[in-house]
Amino acid sequence: MLGSGIPVDLDGLTEIKYHLALVMGFSDAQLVEVTAGGVRFVRLGDIKSLSEDAYSCLPGLVRALDSATVCILPSMAMGIPETPEPPERLSVGAIFIDLFVALVGIVDFRTLPYLPARAILDVLIIVIYKQYDMQAKALSHLTGQLATAVETTTLIVNMDVSYDLSSAAFTAALALLRRWPAVVVRILSRQIFIICTLLTELNLAKDNILVAQGTSFLEAAFTEFASNGLFVLLFKFDLKPEFFQAVKHVLSTHSKAAPGKGSTLNLKEAILDDTVKRLTERADNDLNRILPNLKEFVEKIYHQEYDPKLIHSITVTTNTLARLAMDYHSVPFNPNPWLEMCILVIRHNKAVSRDLLVATEVFLKAVMNRFELTPECLDEVLVHAAAFYRREETAKDLGLHIGAMVVDALSDALRGRTRPPPNTMIAMLTSIKQVLRISQDNLPPDTLKRIAVDSSFHLCTPFGADIFVESHFTATTLAADMVLEATKGETGFLNVHFASRVGKFRPSVRAWNALVLSALSDPSPLSANALFINLKNFALLYGVSLQPLTAPGAQGLPETIALDLNQAFTAVKLWMMLCRQKHRSGLVSHHDADVVLNRGVAINSDESEVLMKERTVWNELWPPFENVLAATSVDESPEEVT
């Protein structure tokens, strides 16, 4: 009747709506009369499921909402207080919209028959795409419910339903996006994730109609909101690989789409430019979620052929983040993704990235002593930034060399002038060690010797027992690696800069243990040879360190006595292990044996070299330790302690 254009007054429409609500399953529906004006409205109540008796009513509801007949619909007829403005003329089906959007929220499209499901989707498309004004006073309160209804139907695309229903759901989503973009904002992120998952499940097949519709929706969403912080919002989530695959597909297919009037940037540039500019508005805890996803976006989707204006935006943001990093204390800030992203951009846009490289150096200097850096990040910085400077370098550019800055920072940390986070020191040691193995051209001259000398100082610096944690142990072993690495190029380095060190801090048993442990993990025999040459120096230090423990009734012993004794016993075991390992490698030289191991036994005797080395180490290190055991033993038997 309504679909055929037969006029019905407002009271009649309300009666029809009331009975339709009862049929559909709104068992608590009531017909309420408003005292002022004599207008009635339907209070729907709750609905648990759509009644099967209502299936036959849905096609008629489609025709009613698609009718061109109009009526005057006051706000009170929809259950909201009347406003001073006069009632508006709306399509006759407007009175049923609240009933319909309440219905969509409880429907299970997986079990609903095709015809009712298609009718519901048709009604939704009509409500969105035809003449209904959701900004009218009688309907404006339903915009949130309408958005929720569209979000519910968007889930259909990932359900096991017919292509026709999925296609209709896409049509409804795209209709709302184009007609009411302000309404769709509240559900857009969830829609994008749903559609990205679908596109990857369908392998982004170009001949698939759902892939084409999903791509059109994403393109429209990105174009509409590219400059309104959409990707800042999306990057706050824990994004999966399928998200980046789908976004790459959309942006590579539609990379020339302009995001707005008067813009000179394409869609990819507009997205990245807007996201980068908004980073400085975020709190530090937001940045820790956004930056890793932004780095993934740049790495997997868009990292080359940048417009100079985009490079300028990244440069400005880098300088601003360097300044803001000074105030990031409430939540640990992770600068690694941003550094890696900047280096990636520099690598692929060398011609326009010099200012960005300088800004990256400023940012690195600001965060190096405050936040934790990773070896992978510093590897990228040292290798690629140094390569850039080698091409551009002049005499005045040497002060800008990022490698020199990292070396200076590590030198200060090893000598205790600064106290970066332990993991950052580990990252600097690991990266410099790795880069030196690749090419010493990436770092200033004599970097190895300088860091090795500073590492010797670090090893000799005493530490409290309360900081012997895993990160400190790792940093100590890496420092020992640097010392032994220097001995391979300079034979007397260990004796000059470590064993014979004089000053406030001298070598300790613990420092020597770190060197021996490093040599055990080094396949080269040069490190072990250097240690055996200096065995007497260590044995002298070892004996002196145990002397206070051998005096009867010793008093005033240091608090670290247990730790010192443990280090001494560990030294015996490590040196014995080094003897066996070096012998197994078959790389011990007779010159070394003559210097260190020949204790009056001919080197060509029947006794094996390994036994000679073990006997030498044992005779040097065990007697002082045995004296300690004898001095602290309650048994006064003159028998030897073994």
Side-chain angles (χ1 to χ4, degrees):
M1 181 177 71
L2 295 176
S4 301
I6 299 176
V8 180
D9 59 13
L10 181 61
D11 194 56
L13 288 173
T14 305
E15 286 281 354
I16 295 172
K17 178 180 178 180
Y18 170 66
H19 290 288
L20 181 61
L22 292 176
V23 172
M24 285 187 169
F26 290 91
S27 57
D28 298 331
Q30 298 177 0
L31 196 58
V32 181
E33 183 172 352
V34 181
T35 304
V39 178
R40 295 189 297 174
F41 72 92
V42 178
R43 182 179 291 136
L44 295 174
D46 297 328
I47 180 174
K48 295 182 179 179
S49 62
L50 178 63
S51 171
E52 294 184 5
D53 296 336
Y55 290 174
S56 59
C57 300
L58 292 175
L61 184 61
V62 174
R63 291 193 297 273
L65 273 86
D66 201 20
S67 173
T69 306
V70 298
C71 69
I72 297 176
L73 186 65
S75 301
M76 290 186 294
M78 299 298 291
I80 61 176
E82 188 58 84
T83 59
E85 293 82 3
E88 298 174 283
R89 294 174 61 86
L90 300 173
S91 297
V92 70
I95 196 171
F96 301 104
I97 292 179
D98 58 342
L99 183 150
F100 168 72
V101 295
L103 175 66
V104 174
I106 56 92
V107 171
D108 187 354
F109 287 93
R110 291 171 295 187
T111 59
L112 194 66
Y114 171 78
L115 290 178
R118 181 58 201 247
I120 291 174
L121 292 173
D122 287 342
V123 171
L124 185 59
I125 295 170
I126 291 170
V127 170
I128 297 169
Y129 218 52
K130 293 205 69 173
Q131 66 271 41
Y132 293 102
D133 184 3
M134 297 304 294
Q135 300 302 319
K137 295 295 185 293
L139 301 178
S140 59
H141 66 290
L142 298 175
T143 54
Q145 292 175 270
L146 179 63
T148 303
V150 173
E151 181 184 5
T152 301
T153 56
T154 304
L155 294 171
I156 295 176
V157 302
N158 281 331
M159 295 180 183
D160 186 16
V161 296
S162 68
Y163 262 46
D164 186 53
L165 293 180
S166 296
S167 180
F170 268 127
T171 302
L174 189 57
L176 183 64
L177 175 62
R178 289 175 173 170
R179 183 77 188 276
W180 306 109
V183 175
V184 81
V185 168
R186 68 188 70 186
I187 64 169
L188 185 58
S189 60
R190 293 185 290 273
Q191 286 182 304
I192 289 174
F193 295 144
I194 292 170
I195 294 172
C196 286
T197 301
L198 172 70
L199 296 185
T200 52
E201 288 178 352
L202 297 176
N203 298 319
L204 301 171
K206 296 182 179 180
D207 57 346
N208 190 303
I209 185 62
L210 295 184
V211 173
Q213 286 186 292
T215 302
S216 297
F217 177 87
L218 293 178
E219 179 195 358
F222 297 162
T223 303
E224 180 69 33
F225 297 102
S227 300
N228 292 279
L230 172 61
F231 274 77
V232 173
L233 174 64
L234 296 176
F235 287 162
K236 289 184 180 182
F237 294 90
D238 184 14
L239 300 181
K240 298 180 180 179
E242 52 262 28
F243 171 82
F244 295 102
Q245 294 174 18
V247 172
K248 182 178 181 180
H249 169 75
V250 173
L251 296 181
S252 61
T253 306
H254 304 278
S255 60
K256 295 182 180 180
K261 295 182 179 180
S263 174
T264 60
L265 302 176
N266 62 36
L267 187 54
K268 290 187 291 188
E269 291 172 335
I271 290 172
L272 184 57
D273 184 67
D274 177 73
T275 304
V276 166
K277 288 179 177 178
R278 293 176 183 271
L279 289 179
T280 55
E281 304 171 3
R282 306 295 103 187
D284 46 351
N285 54 341
D286 287 338
L287 286 176
N288 287 337
R289 297 195 300 268
I290 294 172
L291 292 183
N293 290 322
L294 177 59
K295 181 247 180 182
E296 288 293 309
F297 177 88
V298 172
E299 181 178 10
K300 295 181 178 179
I301 298 176
Y302 181 44
H303 53 259
Q304 55 189 359
E305 298 181 1
Y306 277 24
D307 187 277
K309 293 182 179 179
L310 182 57
I311 295 289
H312 176 71
S313 296
I314 299 175
T315 302
V316 172
T317 300
T318 302
N319 287 324
T320 305
L321 287 176
R323 176 174 53 82
L324 294 177
M326 308 291 185
D327 301 324
Y328 288 154
H329 300 297
S330 58
V331 177
F333 173 55
N334 180 14
N336 295 285
W338 184 257
L339 280 170
E340 293 174 1
M341 189 202 80
C342 289
I343 293 299
L344 183 63
V345 172
I346 291 169
R347 287 173 54 193
H348 294 277
N349 302 273
K350 297 183 178 70
V352 292
S353 296
R354 186 170 182 82
D355 290 341
L356 177 58
L357 184 60
V358 175
T360 302
E361 179 183 357
V362 173
F363 178 76
L364 178 61
K365 190 173 184 178
V367 302
M368 184 172 292
N369 290 324
R370 292 175 175 82
F371 307 105
E372 293 188 353
L373 299 176
T374 63
E376 296 77 14
C377 175
L378 281 180
D379 285 348
E380 292 288 318
V381 171
L382 291 175
V383 173
H384 298 293
F388 183 93
Y389 274 121
R390 280 203 307 277
R391 287 199 325 276
E392 301 286 337
E393 193 169 287
T394 62
K396 64 179 181 180
D397 288 328
L398 291 174
L400 300 176
H401 201 299
I402 290 183
M405 186 196 69
V406 175
V407 171
D408 289 342
L410 178 57
S411 176
D412 290 341
L414 290 171
R415 289 190 171 272
R417 301 188 189 104
T418 60
R419 298 187 64 181
N423 288 336
T424 298
M425 181 181 286
I426 292 172
M428 288 191 286
L429 285 165
T430 303
S431 298
I432 289 179
K433 179 182 175 182
Q434 181 66 24
V435 172
L436 285 172
R437 287 179 177 177
I438 298 173
S439 174
Q440 294 194 8
D441 293 337
N442 292 329
L443 294 170
D446 295 328
T447 293
L448 176 58
K449 183 173 182 179
R450 177 184 177 185
I451 297 302
V453 172
D454 294 333
S455 296
S456 298
F457 182 91
H458 179 75
L459 291 175
C460 296
T461 303
F463 295 94
D466 57 329
I467 65 170
F468 280 89
V469 294
E470 182 178 357
S471 58
H472 182 265
F473 173 78
T474 305
T476 300
T477 55
L478 288 171
D481 291 343
M482 298 300 295
V483 173
L484 292 183
E485 194 69 25
T487 64
K488 297 176 183 178
E490 185 178 341
T491 306
F493 179 88
L494 191 63
N495 181 55
V496 173
H497 297 284
F498 185 81
S500 301
R501 179 182 177 83
V502 295
K504 183 177 180 180
F505 300 132
R506 299 187 179 186
S508 63
V509 175
R510 173 185 164 277
W512 278 97
N513 285 350
L515 292 176
V516 178
L517 186 62
S518 176
L520 285 170
S521 57
D522 188 356
S524 172
L526 299 178
S527 300
N529 288 343
L531 287 173
F532 277 118
I533 291 174
N534 288 275
L535 176 60
K536 290 185 177 180
N537 291 329
F538 170 70
L540 178 62
L541 169 69
Y542 177 84
V544 171
S545 68
L546 293 178
Q547 279 183 357
L549 305 179
T550 59
Q555 297 180 353
L557 295 176
E559 297 180 356
T560 59
I561 183 60
L563 183 61
D564 294 340
L565 193 60
N566 182 61
Q567 290 286 348
F569 185 65
T570 301
V572 178
K573 294 189 289 184
L574 288 176
W575 279 91
M576 296 297 292
M577 291 171 61
L578 188 64
C579 292
R580 291 180 175 273
Q581 185 188 60
K582 191 179 178 186
H583 176 75
R584 284 197 300 268
S585 67
L587 297 173
V588 61
S589 67
H590 287 285
H591 172 73
D592 293 336
D594 291 339
V595 173
V596 181
L597 305 176
N598 192 352
R599 307 282 294 179
V601 181
I603 198 67
N604 57 356
S605 65
D606 295 336
E607 189 172 10
S608 66
E609 290 185 14
V610 63
L611 291 178
M612 285 192 299
K613 287 182 290 186
E614 289 179 353
R615 181 181 296 112
T616 300
V617 171
W618 184 265
N619 290 340
E620 290 284 0
L621 303 185
W622 178 250
F625 195 83
E626 182 183 26
N627 292 337
V628 174
L629 297 180
T632 57
S633 175
V634 296
D635 185 5
E636 298 183 357
S637 172
E639 295 181 2
E640 180 182 15
V641 179
T642 59

